[in-house]
Amino acid sequence: MVLADAAAVDAKAATGASIEPLCGLPLAVKDSIDVLGYPTTASTPALLNAFPTKSAPLIDMYLAANGIIMGKAALDELQDGGNSVNPTNQYTDGLITTMLNAYNQTRIAGGSSGGSGNSVGGRIAPVALCEDTGGSCRMPASANGIYGFRPSLGCYNFSTGMGLVPAEFTRDTIEAVTCDAVISNISLNGTRIGLPSTFGWETGLSGEIQAAVDATMEALTAAGVIFVPFDSGSFTEVASIAWAGGLESDDYMEPEAIARYLWLHDYNMTVTDVFENINRPDLRKSMMDSLKLDPTTLAGNFDAWIDFLQYGRPAIGAEWALKYKAYNVSAFLYPVFAVSPREIDGYNPYVQFENGTFIAAQAAKFCSQDAQATQTVLAFPSGHLSTDGLPVGMQFSGPPGADGTLLSLAKAVAEVLPTLPAPASPPSCTGCAANVAYNAATFKQVKGDMPLNNETYTNFHLTFNGTCSSPALTSYGQKGVYGIGSHGFSMPASAATAG
């Protein structure tokens, strides 16, 4: 299809007609977004043959501007996750896969839009369309050394339920839309940028990324940026109060939204059919449990969820707006991750810092509170690699409607930060493919304790098929399994021979 689309643009140009503004620019599209002629699988078995009857409106806009669709990009199953790791399933003919980091194929690509991120980071696609609910575009951008943009909520209207397999329809945003934002030339000299304390500046970053973050700050300071540190503890406090009655009610949203999506597309299946066939065991259980919620009996009931949307979430956004105004800053700045992208079998549900301590994977990213506050956020590469050779991403956040400001800041920052080195050439492989097995982690962290001997702290086990020349892959089997406690374990034979 991509060749036919490209030929159509070429034929139009041959007639002398304008093919501006995109001039045949290829676009990779996250596989939760409808494109006519392609199935929208959301990387879940029940939707592998779900062909929409029309494209999402944004895709029609892109094609009308003389762009072409390069193909669909894989993701975390049903957009649920931050690593784009999907267990290998022999019954899906390789259509559900794990995305690999463009810089190191044993590391996570970020998620949920991992395929969008690694296709651009790996220089396969020049640009990709993704979707950001709680960091799903920014985490892959950071992990793969590229830009990722969460526009103002509502820029792209899919409230009818058409065009996108939803995650949380009250926070979903599709990237590459700017609400007619104007990108201007601005000077960094004298620009005031806030540094929220609870987003890594005082809570701590892993040693692998600290030098890269420091170098970024030094370069921006030299360019005249005025940094304004402030206590952002109130963000967490306000969010905790706002969520008090609505936390469980959040589980109502995805089943209802997916059911509506299936109905509008006239698919011959129910949301139960989708959830019963989910590939990832932990996700299958949580989604099936969500179908059992009774909105009339739970403390976190549907009314509480409506109250959160009407009063709680606006209160969270108001607290962010108050800080922008109080400190007279154009945006806030903070890292995307607290750690460098971890090994696929060393991430989720827990992450090990370089000093040996463990934290929940959810706490290793700074993408949730800003999305909950419906902020506009842009992730950008720092231009530096971590000490273990992975990209380090930073992000600007601004209030809703600040799309133009953030894009202009990113343009200015790109002129003072070094260009990130491209990843090494893709590995030369013969049948080389990642195999991911799922085994539920046995470590259950309590008050910062450490895994006991042979306790596993991640759900995934990674091996590779085929003969691979990439140093990351050929050395992987010699390292053993990262998801096992480090107090004297035996390396499984399957890992010792991987690569």
Side-chain angles (χ1 to χ4, degrees):
M1 291 183 64
V2 62
L3 295 179
D5 289 346
V9 174
D10 288 342
K12 183 175 181 179
T15 68
S18 172
I19 58 171
E20 293 182 349
L22 295 179
C23 301
L25 183 69
L27 175 74
V29 179
K30 183 177 183 178
D31 199 12
S32 58
I33 301 169
D34 288 343
V35 179
L36 185 63
Y38 294 86
T40 302
T41 75
S43 289
T44 197
L47 298 178
L48 291 181
N49 293 302
F51 284 83
T53 58
K54 61 181 179 179
S55 295
L58 183 58
I59 298 300
D60 290 335
M61 292 167 58
Y62 194 85
L63 294 173
N66 298 302
I68 63 175
I69 304 304
M70 190 173 183
K72 301 297 284 290
L75 61 147
D76 276 294
E77 189 170 11
L78 287 174
Q79 309 188 70
D80 192 292
N83 49 31
S84 296
V85 178
N86 294 314
T88 303
N89 186 327
Q90 62 178 317
Y91 301 108
T92 59
D93 296 324
L95 295 175
I96 296 177
T97 60
T98 288
M99 281 58 72
L100 309 179
N101 189 290
Y103 283 76
N104 182 326
Q105 292 77 39
T106 69
R107 303 295 184 105
I108 63 169
S112 62
S113 310
S116 298
N118 70 3
S119 64
V120 177
R123 277 53 173 181
I124 297 170
V127 65
L129 194 61
C130 51
E131 175 277 334
D132 193 303
T133 302
S136 292
C137 183
R138 292 168 284 144
M139 287 188 283
S142 175
N144 293 280
I146 59 175
Y147 292 83
F149 186 44
R150 173 188 170 87
S152 294
L153 188 67
C155 279
Y156 170 63
N157 181 14
F158 52 90
S159 59
T160 60
M162 299 296 286
L164 173 71
V165 178
E168 295 183 21
F169 61 87
T170 65
R171 286 196 296 156
D172 292 342
T173 62
I174 295 183
E175 272 53 53
V177 184
T178 61
C179 282
D180 297 322
V182 175
I183 303 176
S184 58
N185 294 317
I186 63 173
S187 172
L188 293 176
N189 189 27
T191 298
R192 294 170 58 85
I193 300 294
L195 304 179
S197 61
T198 54
F199 286 64
W201 300 118
E202 291 184 7
T203 51
L205 303 173
S206 191
E208 302 102 340
I209 72 169
Q210 189 68 61
V213 172
D214 290 345
T216 302
M217 302 300 286
E218 291 170 4
L220 296 181
T221 299
V225 173
I226 300 171
F227 291 115
V228 184
F230 68 94
D231 182 358
S232 58
S234 62
F235 291 169
T236 302
E237 294 170 5
V238 172
S240 297
I241 295 171
W243 268 108
L247 185 57
E248 289 173 328
S249 304
D250 187 29
D251 291 325
Y252 302 136
M253 188 160 42
E254 188 162 12
E256 291 285 346
I258 290 179
R260 179 174 175 81
Y261 174 86
L262 298 173
W263 175 71
L264 287 170
H265 286 68
D266 199 25
Y267 290 147
N268 187 27
M269 68 181 80
T270 66
V271 68
T272 302
D273 296 329
V274 174
F275 287 178
E276 282 181 339
N277 288 283
I278 286 175
N279 183 41
R280 208 178 81 209
D282 59 328
L283 180 61
R284 185 190 317 125
K285 182 180 185 306
S286 67
M287 289 301 185
M288 289 301 295
D289 287 346
S290 73
L291 295 177
K292 302 173 186 177
L293 295 176
D294 182 352
T296 64
T297 59
L298 286 174
N301 56 45
F302 188 75
D303 289 340
W305 176 238
I306 297 301
D307 285 344
F308 170 74
L309 293 180
Q310 290 182 333
Y311 307 110
R313 180 170 290 165
I316 299 172
E319 183 64 23
W320 283 66
L322 182 65
K323 291 295 191 288
Y324 291 119
K325 183 176 181 179
Y327 295 101
N328 189 28
V329 294
S330 299
F332 300 154
L333 174 67
Y334 41 94
V336 177
F337 287 108
V339 298
S340 62
R342 283 299 188 256
E343 290 80 6
I344 286 171
D345 51 12
Y347 186 92
N348 194 35
Y350 298 100
V351 171
Q352 185 177 25
F353 267 66
E354 89 292 344
N355 65 4
T357 60
F358 288 83
I359 63 172
Q362 183 73 15
K365 62 180 183 179
F366 303 111
C367 298
S368 297
Q369 284 195 358
D370 50 16
Q372 190 181 82
T374 63
Q375 300 298 286
T376 305
V377 194
L378 189 149
F380 62 92
S382 69
H384 302 278
L385 297 175
S386 64
T387 57
D388 49 357
L390 280 300
V392 176
M394 305 289 288
Q395 53 190 340
F396 286 121
S397 67
D403 304 62
T405 298
L406 299 191
L407 291 166
S408 299
L409 278 172
K411 180 176 181 292
V413 165
E415 296 172 357
V416 301
L417 295 180
T419 300
L420 189 71
S425 299
S428 174
C429 299
T430 302
C432 183
N435 293 312
V436 177
Y438 179 93
N439 293 288
T442 57
F443 172 52
K444 307 295 182 184
Q445 189 178 51
V446 178
K447 295 183 180 179
D449 61 341
M450 304 281 282
L452 298 176
N453 187 36
N454 290 327
E455 272 191 321
T456 58
Y457 64 87
T458 72
N459 293 333
F460 305 112
H461 172 61
L462 174 68
T463 57
F464 285 91
N465 285 338
T467 303
C468 310
S469 66
S470 166
L473 300 188
T474 54
S475 65
Y476 186 77
Q478 301 169 16
K479 297 180 182 178
V481 180
Y482 284 85
I484 295 182
S486 58
H487 304 286
F489 62 86
S490 298
M491 184 169 64
S494 60
T497 58

